[in-house]
Amino acid sequence: MQIVFIGLVLIVYGLLNFYIGFKGYKSINPNIPIIKILYWVIVFFFAAAYIIAMAGRNHLPDRINFVLNTIGGYWIAAFVYLLGFVILIDIFGFLGRKLNMIPDFVKNNTWILAFSVVAVVAITLAVGTYNAMVPRIVKYDISIDKKAGDLKKLKCAMISDIHLGEIIGRDRLKTAVGLINEMEPDVVVITGDLIDNAIEPVIKQNMLEELKNINSRYGTFVVMGNHDYFSNAVDDLTRRLEDTGVTVLRDRTVKVNNSFYIVGREDKTSLRYGFSRKNLQELLEEADTTLPIIVLDHQPSELDEPRKAGVDLQLSGHTHAGQFFPASLVTNMIFEEDHGYFRDGSFNLLVSCGFGTWGPTVRIGSQSEIVELNISFAQ
């Protein structure tokens, strides 16, 4: 069934790429001589690059795979915007012909419209690349109405969805670690999707070594996300992370400084890979719930469970805030809260739009971020 679904998706994707390519060729060809075969080879290459990279991940040289991933990723973003423009142009063109409202200048110079669309999409991708590559520090001040022993305040650095792999490498992680250390945090949390789809490029570049350079008072705590499970090497990833000195929480509860609890949950995706996921009541059975409870759960879904369990703060990622418009409309519909800070009574939720990206290194309507969370406890 899954193969049939993938096949249908590829067929639809191919047809839509042909639609974009055909409209482009028809708009340019009357005015600018182009070689038809070369034009379609280029369109096919752009459309297929990401698929080839995914399929050949373990067989292609690293440099070629990187180039294919980069070109293919950018084409995915360009494809979305080009498709939108082409559909709008066809709709207005149809109405204009029916109402005889299309000026002769437009009819005779369709190449200008075509190149204008390409220019707008190129500028959009350039802005999106800046948003994806230049991280910002987002600060939130929240209060938890519980005493945390002698602890009055807690500074937490949160980073999510780094997606280490073929595109996002060790240099980007080093940048993130530097920004985290500048905060001088008490505790650091990584809320899933540390790696993208495969562990091999992470091992080749020894990327996880950078995590040893994180400085904090109480340590670094990590949970797994859906992409970590996609690697089919989550146990190996867990061992390698623990070797760097971070604490991996997979359905585990730890008491920190005798002041608060951090609960790390297995991601929902783990069930598809033969793992189990405990409910919060089980994870909190031996916890003193008069102390603050902080839950790390990659996906901000099924929020009634932490509300009923008396969780004070949940930290999540996963959504990327849609990463680029119009996908943000979809995440906003799927998730109760898809980005930012929200409070419901004593329950606090913070969803980060993430540090890295999946697919294209593009963010439109969101920006790469690391969260600085300043938590005040009851006195």
Side-chain angles (χ1 to χ4, degrees):
M1 189 66 184
Q2 188 176 14
I3 295 175
V4 173
F5 176 75
I6 293 172
L8 289 173
V9 169
L10 290 176
I11 290 171
V12 172
Y13 175 68
L15 290 173
L16 290 175
N17 273 283
F18 175 77
Y19 171 54
I20 292 170
F22 176 76
K23 289 296 181 179
Y25 182 80
K26 191 177 178 182
S27 298
I28 298 170
N29 191 46
N31 306 91
I32 301 175
I34 57 176
I35 302 171
K36 185 175 182 180
I37 294 177
L38 180 60
Y39 173 85
W40 283 109
V41 166
I42 293 171
V43 171
F44 173 81
F45 174 71
F46 284 170
Y50 196 75
I51 298 169
I52 294 170
M54 294 288 286
R57 178 185 296 132
N58 299 322
H59 309 288
L60 295 171
D62 292 346
R63 177 55 57 182
I64 292 176
N65 195 261
F66 173 79
V67 171
L68 288 171
N69 262 299
T70 303
I71 293 173
Y74 274 103
W75 178 256
I76 289 173
F79 164 81
V80 171
Y81 294 116
L82 288 172
L83 180 62
F85 274 118
V86 169
I87 291 172
L88 286 174
I89 289 169
D90 273 358
I91 291 172
F92 284 109
F94 173 79
L95 294 174
R97 287 189 298 272
K98 288 292 184 183
L99 300 173
N100 197 27
M101 294 177 59
I102 302 177
D104 290 338
F105 175 80
V106 174
K107 291 179 182 178
N108 299 327
N109 295 279
T110 54
W111 67 274
I112 296 178
L113 181 60
F115 278 97
S116 297
V117 168
V118 171
V120 170
V121 171
I123 292 169
T124 301
L125 296 185
V127 172
T129 300
Y130 175 86
N131 290 339
M133 295 294 292
V134 181
R136 61 178 180 171
I137 305 299
V138 183
K139 298 182 181 181
Y140 296 95
D141 298 313
I142 74 167
S143 60
I144 293 177
D145 194 24
K146 283 183 181 178
K147 290 185 177 180
D150 296 327
L151 200 61
K152 297 179 180 179
K153 292 187 177 181
L154 181 75
K155 180 184 283 188
C156 173
M158 172 190 177
I159 188 168
S160 188
D161 300 271
I162 302 174
H163 287 271
L164 295 173
E166 287 93 349
I167 301 296
I168 298 174
R170 185 164 178 168
D171 288 344
R172 291 283 304 280
L173 181 57
K174 185 176 182 179
T175 297
V177 171
L179 291 170
I180 288 170
N181 287 340
E182 287 177 9
M183 295 181 197
E184 299 182 348
D186 298 312
V187 65
V188 177
V189 299
I190 302 173
T191 53
D193 282 3
L194 176 62
I195 69 175
D196 193 28
N197 293 307
I199 198 172
E200 289 78 14
V202 177
I203 295 172
K204 284 180 182 178
Q205 294 187 41
N206 207 14
M207 297 181 195
L208 301 182
E209 283 293 303
E210 291 296 334
L211 298 177
K212 292 181 177 180
N213 298 322
I214 296 178
N215 300 318
S216 67
R217 182 177 300 177
Y218 302 126
T220 301
F221 299 86
V222 182
V223 294
M224 298 296 169
N226 55 309
H227 279 260
D228 300 312
Y229 287 96
F230 293 164
S231 70
N232 280 310
V234 71
D235 288 334
D236 186 21
L237 176 60
T238 299
R239 287 190 294 269
R240 291 176 183 276
L241 282 169
E242 289 175 341
D243 287 343
T244 69
V246 306
T247 302
V248 182
L249 300 178
R250 296 175 58 188
D251 274 354
R252 285 178 56 202
T253 302
V254 294
K255 194 176 187 180
V256 181
N257 191 45
N258 207 34
S259 302
F260 61 94
Y261 290 94
I262 295 181
V263 182
R265 306 196 68 183
E266 286 275 31
D267 185 66
K268 290 171 62 179
T269 308
S270 64
L271 301 174
R272 289 163 45 190
Y273 290 84
F275 297 95
S276 60
R277 172 178 158 98
K278 295 180 181 177
N279 62 51
L280 276 174
Q281 294 293 349
E282 290 179 87
L283 293 171
L284 293 173
E285 276 180 355
E286 298 181 8
D288 177 6
T289 54
T290 63
L291 292 176
I293 307 292
I294 300 173
V295 167
L296 312 181
D297 194 356
H298 178 62
Q299 301 187 42
S301 55
E302 300 173 354
L303 296 178
D304 282 343
E305 185 182 6
R307 284 188 179 102
K308 292 175 181 177
V311 169
D312 299 292
L313 171 64
Q314 177 169 313
L315 303 177
S316 300
H318 181 64
T319 68
H320 293 218
Q323 190 166 313
F324 59 88
F325 181 87
S328 52
L329 301 178
V330 178
T331 56
N332 189 256
M333 288 188 293
I334 292 175
F335 297 97
E336 182 179 337
E337 308 291 356
D338 78 329
H339 175 233
Y341 169 65
F342 310 92
R343 183 171 186 127
D344 182 7
S346 62
F347 174 65
N348 298 273
L349 171 69
L350 201 156
V351 183
S352 172
C353 74
F355 179 81
T357 50
W358 179 81
T361 312
V362 172
R363 284 183 175 272
I364 301 296
S366 69
Q367 185 170 350
S368 171
E369 69 177 25
I370 300 173
V371 174
E372 178 184 312
L373 185 59
N374 296 293
I375 306 170
S376 299
F377 301 108
Q379 305 301 306

